[in-house]
Amino acid sequence: MTDTERIHQLGGVACVAKLLGFSLQRVQNWIGRGAIPPAVKIAYPQHFLFPLSPSRGDQGEKGMPSTPNPKSDAKAPR
């Protein structure tokens, strides 16, 4: 997914600007450049670095990839 597609998936320029507390012009500039600045992606990983909708079973809370927990998978001692 491109950065422009991600902005549109999040609801568009106005929604992303409001969500992050940035000006409309700042977010619109990202679309014009075709890229969200890396510093913004790192500051807001929940919006830009992971899938937005957990449509597959491999994601946990907040769109973060889930990792197996070996302790929870182990059998309890008797």
Side-chain angles (χ1 to χ4, degrees):
M1 171 180 303
T2 67
D3 288 348
T4 299
E5 291 170 339
R6 177 59 59 107
I7 290 169
H8 290 297
Q9 188 175 16
L10 284 167
V13 173
C15 288
V16 172
K18 184 175 180 180
L19 179 70
L20 303 180
F22 295 157
S23 70
L24 290 170
Q25 185 62 52
R26 183 174 181 178
V27 178
Q28 185 62 46
N29 287 343
W30 301 343
I31 291 179
R33 293 183 191 116
I36 299 167
V40 174
K41 289 183 180 183
I42 292 170
Y44 300 94
Q46 69 276 23
H47 301 300
F48 302 115
L49 296 181
F50 300 104
L52 290 178
S53 61
S55 58
R56 292 179 284 142
D58 61 348
Q59 298 168 354
E61 292 182 314
K62 299 182 182 178
M64 302 282 289
S66 62
T67 55
N69 182 353
K71 290 182 182 179
S72 68
D73 294 337
K75 292 184 179 178
R78 293 183 183 220

